[in-house]
Amino acid sequence: MPRTPGKPRSAEKLQGWKAAIHEYVKLVNQAEIELDAEPLNRLVDDREHLSRYGTKLDRLREREQRRCAWSGRNETKAQPMRVNEAAHEATLLLRLDQRRSLDQFGHGYVEERSEYERLWLQDHQGRWAIVRIEPLVSERRPRYGSYSSNAVPYEEERGRQHTDLHVPRSRPFVNRNLVLPLATRTQPQRYRRDRAVAYADTWWNKANPEYEEFEVNCTNYISQCLFAGGAPMNYTGRRESGWWYKGRDGGREWWSYSWAVSNAMQALLAAPRREGLRGTLVDRPEQLELGDVILYDWNGDGRYQHSTIVTAFDAERMPLVNANTVSSRHRYWDYRDSYAWTEATRYQMVHLADEF
């Protein structure tokens, strides 16, 4: 039997909860274009999530209006990562890949991000509905206290796989330059911002297998970008000091907290120093350049939980950033489009030195 013209072959075969997920992705795409959660009402029964998602879209709409930016096109793709199904119910982990095309004063750019949600679906007399949605707000994890010199190792940098996402373990990386002490360098090394940005754009949505991949990978990713740009490691061999990465040796973790933990990186960059990785704290995002760093304290309690790197600018020269864990490329710097954002959010903006 010939199929209906214009109807995708894959859509014809979808039934039950799979058809509901297919419809859900279309509705999310519509909501992201209209910046309104209303289209999801006919499929999603979770009032709490609809309110949460609606609030996030309201913030995004207000911000885009203020920036005079609009999105005429949005592409949403989905991939089920983990599925459990029974006769009349199903649960799954869903990865949503968003690609927004924006225009601002005639200047166009593309923003990309990947987010994860857990969904619960039930069959009510032939009608499959999504009864619960739980976004994975990975930017907010973890919060185990402020960094200190005698701190217990953070869960953020313990190098464990994310069991839900089935991420393969990476191979250890050994920096062969560690055999040369920092003091032996006779000339300052220029920070190659272009190389840091190129690395950030290459690895924003996948792990470089030369490094350990952490469950919360944002700061590890930023450190890799800075190192690719020429920032020198300060190898002390002590996890609570310096900025360095060596890999694993016999199961032992060999990297500094500042390499892998947002709060520890913030402490490192905020402290004045004359050599090695360093920068200047600035008050306004307009003062940042490519390859600079922004750190995020979602609760305003002095504990920083997320790190990004500046990789582009919009038409008003406001930073667009890349990040990992919740993979993002050319995302507007303020993160008001994230579930992690709160009214108490504080930012630490660091302009890195041009020479190390």
Side-chain angles (χ1 to χ4, degrees):
M1 178 182 296
R3 65 189 183 95
T4 304
K7 187 175 183 181
R9 186 179 301 276
S10 59
E12 290 182 334
K13 299 179 181 179
L14 294 177
Q15 298 179 354
W17 66 266
K18 294 180 181 179
I21 292 298
H22 181 78
E23 179 67 14
Y24 173 69
V25 174
K26 291 197 301 181
L27 295 176
V28 167
N29 193 67
Q30 181 183 347
E32 293 284 331
I33 293 175
E34 299 175 359
L35 299 182
D36 187 344
E38 194 278 332
L40 273 67
N41 281 317
R42 67 173 185 260
L43 180 64
V44 178
D45 293 343
D46 185 344
R47 300 295 105 184
E48 180 180 0
H49 176 72
L50 289 174
S51 175
R52 176 171 53 218
Y53 183 45
T55 298
K56 183 168 77 87
L57 292 179
D58 287 344
R59 291 200 306 265
L60 181 56
R61 182 175 61 254
E62 292 169 4
R63 188 189 72 188
E64 305 301 52
Q65 288 175 348
R66 186 176 66 253
R67 299 173 58 215
C68 296
W70 62 277
S71 175
R73 179 179 176 84
N74 192 84
E75 300 172 54
T76 304
K77 296 181 180 180
Q79 180 178 351
M81 305 295 293
R82 187 177 182 181
V83 178
N84 293 292
E85 56 182 315
H88 298 287
E89 61 183 17
T91 63
L92 71 152
L93 181 68
L94 188 69
R95 190 182 81 190
L96 290 167
D97 296 325
Q98 300 280 359
R99 181 181 172 90
R100 299 181 69 218
S101 299
L102 291 108
D103 182 89
Q104 184 188 34
F105 302 118
H107 170 74
Y109 70 93
V110 174
E111 172 193 278
E112 298 176 87
R113 70 181 190 275
S114 297
E115 298 177 331
Y116 293 88
E117 297 177 344
R118 287 194 180 94
L119 282 74
W120 286 258
L121 300 94
Q122 290 182 353
D123 178 12
H124 299 291
Q125 297 180 341
R127 173 189 174 268
W128 281 87
I130 300 174
V131 296
R132 183 182 172 190
I133 300 176
E134 178 185 293
L136 272 64
V137 191
S138 299
E139 303 104 320
R140 290 188 64 88
R141 297 186 319 208
R143 297 180 59 243
Y144 296 118
S146 299
Y147 171 78
S148 65
S149 60
N150 60 353
V152 174
Y154 282 67
E155 289 297 321
E156 182 175 351
E157 51 78 49
R158 292 187 60 83
R160 293 181 287 112
Q161 302 182 69
H162 197 307
T163 55
D164 282 341
L165 307 187
H166 300 287
V167 177
R169 290 194 61 81
S170 58
R171 294 183 286 110
F173 169 79
V174 176
N175 175 26
R176 293 169 178 81
N177 292 328
L178 292 180
V179 299
L180 299 175
L182 183 64
T184 64
R185 295 189 305 123
T186 58
Q187 296 293 331
Q189 184 167 323
R190 184 162 64 96
Y191 180 35
R192 291 293 304 271
R193 298 177 182 275
D194 57 336
R195 292 181 180 177
V197 170
Y199 186 97
D201 281 343
T202 298
W203 298 104
W204 71 276
N205 63 345
K206 57 183 179 291
N208 183 343
E210 295 298 323
Y211 290 90
E212 191 81 16
E213 183 183 12
F214 303 156
E215 181 178 358
V216 179
N217 203 54
C218 61
T219 308
N220 175 42
Y221 163 76
I222 298 302
S223 289
Q224 292 173 33
C225 295
L226 304 186
F227 184 55
M233 291 190 193
N234 177 15
Y235 178 65
T236 65
R238 299 189 304 275
R239 307 197 68 190
E240 68 275 10
S241 65
W243 178 73
W244 55 274
Y245 179 96
K246 192 177 179 181
R248 287 183 181 268
D249 183 9
R252 186 175 180 184
E253 300 162 348
W254 283 93
W255 50 80
S256 64
Y257 294 133
S258 58
W259 180 275
V261 182
S262 294
N263 206 49
M265 174 173 276
Q266 184 275 334
L268 176 81
L269 294 176
R273 55 179 43 82
R274 295 184 178 180
E275 60 182 11
L277 179 61
R278 65 192 189 279
T280 303
L281 304 184
V282 299
D283 299 323
R284 302 190 310 277
E286 303 95 308
Q287 297 172 281
L288 295 173
E289 297 182 20
L290 293 175
D292 285 341
V293 173
I294 304 177
L295 301 116
Y296 300 75
D297 167 12
W298 303 121
N299 304 308
D301 59 2
R303 289 182 272 191
Y304 289 82
Q305 299 172 259
H306 188 52
S307 313
T308 67
I309 182 171
V310 178
T311 53
F313 296 95
D314 70 4
E316 297 182 308
R317 208 191 174 281
M318 297 297 281
L320 306 175
V321 299
N322 283 26
N324 206 255
T325 302
V326 176
S327 300
S328 304
R329 178 177 181 270
H330 295 179
R331 188 172 186 169
Y332 193 73
W333 70 275
D334 69 3
Y335 262 68
R336 292 177 68 92
D337 59 345
S338 169
Y339 289 114
W341 190 89
T342 72
E343 295 288 348
T345 296
R346 297 193 305 181
Y347 309 93
Q348 183 103 102
M349 291 170 275
V350 185
H351 172 56
L352 295 178
D354 291 323
E355 290 186 340
F356 300 113

